[in-house]
Amino acid sequence: MPGIVIVGVQWGDEGKGKATDLLGERTDWVVKFNGGNNAGHTVVIGGEKYALHLLPSGILSPGVNAVIGNGVVIDLEVLFQELDALGARGIDTSKLRVSANAHVITHYHRTLDKVTERFLGKRQIGTTGRGIGPAYADKINRVGIRVQDLFDESILRQKVEAALDQKNHLLVKIFNRRAISADEIVEDLLSYADRVRPMVCDTGLLLNDALDRGEVVVFEGGQATMLDVDHGTYPFVTSSSATAGGAATGSGVGPNRLDRIVGIVKAYTTRVGAGPFPTELFDEKGEWLRKTGFEYGTTTGRLRRTGWYDAPITRYATRVNGITDLVMTKLDVLTGLDEIPVCVAYDVDGTRFEEVPVNQTDFHHAKPIYETFPGWSEDITGVRRFEDLPQTAQDYVLALEEMSNTRISVIGVGPARDAVIVRHDLVD
Ligand code: IMP
């Protein structure tokens, strides 16, 4: 079972880094296939906390080959900041490989991200402001800059000039900002060329060869299903393919090489940024979830919106991704609640919807229909076998498993690396 995809089920921040880390010792390769430094993984190893935004979390496991695939947009300044920070803490990052076809995020992408959001006013997406959307827009508009362009100055200059042509009109005439000079951008990008060059290769070839040898390749998705540009709550989404299909296009392997699709789902729900969120709580329970689960954005420090578990969303994610296994994280956060509501369906203006409505307006109007489960008060952070969980915690997990149409193979019971209950091996 060498090709394993990890995707978020909800709106991100499900704790995917922990799942990648769990596979760590048996992983030969870990690939980031979408997104950029809008992501945020927090991994705790030996009491030390690592917050990564751009690098795949597998980079923290010794012996793992980390790859940034063609589907990623790379802010080179952030790449080297993260590498330097890990180097300073004694982490060896020399095995990192970067796709020659990945696009780069430049100064003008970051600027456009921020001014466009401001321009949208109350229709804001609530982006991370890292230039992700504008970089992907350039890619699709065929005016993007790829990593390989850094190695040919004359091509680079032509491409930067072409990319800036329309943008400077926009910046000056619409957004009232100063024009950005091509020289400034070219100089900045070239300053990274020598350092990035040894990392750059045909990563698709590298990964196909690894799979041919039977090595274990983990495809680590950034963001999550409900933030996917095609399948998420558009337009309140990120600009990349965060679902399992994106693992193939974003890394250059065929879909038939993806053997296992692991969905990461929190035992409750959170969301950063704007957009519909049917189970969102606006009361003290929501605040309690935020505090207890430490739900503050890793990337922007924004408060995460919090709410109860939404079973139709997990069913939807299972279908869209072809999820074979779920990893349920943060079950311990629910400890201490007398009862735990779970959304089992929606009420949309008097009509019951069992599944996520296809129509955006319906989803905006969806009111959760809850079923309530008894809680537990025992500390579960030390539990390592499912049958040792309090009966009500077992019942909660089993009920969610049935509603999700997929087995819950791993349960996270605490922030530490080993705080997991493994019911089914993810690599067999
Ligand atoms: P962008 O990815 O910066 O364009 O932001 C688009 C939307 O995706 C916003 O609502 C962000 O808050 C959200 N988003 C992007 N990356 C993450 C993530 O890693 N976790 C949670 N939300 C994210």
Side-chain angles (χ1 to χ4, degrees):
M1 286 285 190
I4 303 171
V5 184
I6 293 183
V7 286
V9 163
Q10 299 148 319
W11 281 282
D13 309 310
E14 294 92 350
K16 295 181 286 282
K18 186 166 180 176
T20 321
D21 202 46
L22 179 72
L23 292 166
E25 263 124 63
R26 285 166 304 165
T27 304
D28 300 299
W29 299 80
V30 62
V31 190
K32 179 179 170 96
F33 62 81
N34 75 306
N37 55 315
N38 48 347
H41 314 289
T42 309
V43 184
V44 180
I45 302 177
E48 291 246 359
K49 205 168 173 180
Y50 298 88
L52 299 174
H53 300 290
L54 174 58
L55 291 168
S57 62
I59 197 137
L60 298 170
S61 307
V64 171
N65 300 282
V67 173
I68 294 183
N70 57 278
V72 174
V73 285
I74 305 176
D75 186 323
L76 291 158
E77 185 182 348
V78 175
L79 175 70
F80 290 117
Q81 271 167 6
E82 289 197 358
L83 288 174
D84 290 344
L86 290 181
R89 290 169 82 175
I91 307 271
D92 175 19
T93 57
S94 61
K95 289 188 173 152
L96 177 69
R97 293 292 170 265
V98 174
S99 168
N101 288 342
H103 283 241
V104 295
I105 299 176
T106 67
H107 171 47
Y108 50 79
H109 295 124
R110 287 188 296 266
T111 303
L112 280 170
D113 198 354
K114 289 183 190 131
V115 291
T116 316
E117 276 284 274
R118 227 170 287 149
F119 214 70
L120 281 172
K122 64 176 177 20
R123 287 176 292 123
Q124 274 187 7
I125 310 288
T127 73
T128 58
R130 304 293 194 259
I132 308 295
Y136 279 115
D138 275 3
K139 172 176 172 172
I140 302 302
N141 275 333
R142 293 161 293 191
V143 288
I145 311 291
R146 294 188 295 174
V147 169
Q148 58 177 292
D149 298 329
L150 268 59
F151 310 132
D152 184 331
E153 187 175 342
S154 116
I155 291 276
L156 178 66
R157 188 168 298 277
Q158 283 173 39
K159 291 194 174 181
V160 170
E161 279 167 4
L164 275 173
D165 209 19
Q166 290 181 19
K167 289 186 186 69
N168 272 334
H169 286 292
L170 260 181
L171 283 171
V172 174
K173 294 178 189 151
I174 309 283
F175 295 120
N176 206 16
R177 305 283 292 225
R178 74 170 178 88
I180 295 173
S181 85
D183 285 347
E184 176 192 333
I185 300 296
V186 169
E187 194 185 322
D188 181 55
L189 291 175
L190 286 178
S191 72
Y192 301 108
D194 286 342
R195 193 163 173 204
V196 79
R197 195 189 306 264
M199 304 172 190
V200 178
C201 63
D202 181 347
T203 45
L205 179 62
L206 207 63
L207 294 169
N208 274 280
D209 285 349
L211 287 163
D212 286 345
R213 291 191 298 269
E215 293 172 8
V216 174
V217 180
V218 174
F219 300 86
E220 188 180 85
Q223 294 76 51
T225 305
M226 300 309 279
L227 288 172
D228 180 280
V229 67
D230 284 273
H231 302 291
T233 47
Y234 190 90
F236 302 99
V237 291
T238 193
S239 301
S240 67
S241 298
T243 42
T249 48
S251 65
V253 307
N256 58 342
R257 312 233 56 173
L258 310 175
D259 304 292
R260 202 89 170 243
I261 316 288
V262 179
I264 317 301
V265 65
K266 229 182 272 200
Y268 50 97
T269 314
T270 63
R271 170 164 207 173
V272 187
F277 177 0
T279 63
E280 183 168 14
L281 294 166
F282 299 95
D283 56 9
E284 71 285 358
K285 282 271 163 46
E287 188 51 35
W288 184 87
L289 278 176
R290 185 175 305 117
K291 281 214 176 95
T292 318
F294 203 71
E295 299 296 352
Y296 306 95
T298 325
T299 301
T300 58
R302 286 180 288 180
L303 298 187
R304 292 183 186 146
R305 300 158 64 192
T306 52
W308 301 122
Y309 188 85
D310 187 325
I313 282 181
T314 310
R315 271 203 298 280
Y316 175 73
T318 299
R319 172 158 51 92
V320 167
N321 293 288
I323 290 174
T324 57
D325 300 79
L326 285 169
V327 171
M328 176 163 288
T329 57
K330 292 193 155 183
L331 185 65
D332 56 301
V333 172
L334 301 179
T335 302
L337 291 168
D338 291 339
E339 42 182 39
I340 311 171
V342 169
C343 169
V344 295
Y346 308 110
D347 177 282
V348 182
D349 305 326
T351 305
R352 185 180 167 108
F353 278 67
E354 299 295 331
E355 304 297 333
V356 173
V358 69
N359 185 294
Q360 186 189 348
T361 310
D362 286 344
F363 196 54
H364 274 269
H365 291 183
K367 299 264 174 299
I369 298 173
Y370 286 118
E371 196 176 319
T372 300
F373 293 83
W376 58 91
S377 55
E378 300 89 328
D379 178 4
I380 60 168
T381 53
V383 175
R384 297 293 175 266
R385 295 188 319 166
F386 186 67
E387 52 276 29
D388 294 338
L389 281 173
Q391 190 57 48
T392 46
Q394 291 187 37
D395 293 344
Y396 180 75
V397 173
L398 292 175
L400 298 196
E401 184 169 67
E402 197 175 325
M403 289 177 211
S404 310
N405 292 339
T406 320
R407 62 185 188 176
I408 296 177
S409 297
V410 178
I411 302 159
V413 289
R417 193 182 203 186
D418 62 345
V420 285
I421 296 170
V422 180
R423 298 174 73 209
H424 304 284
D425 195 358
L426 295 177
V427 193
D428 59 19

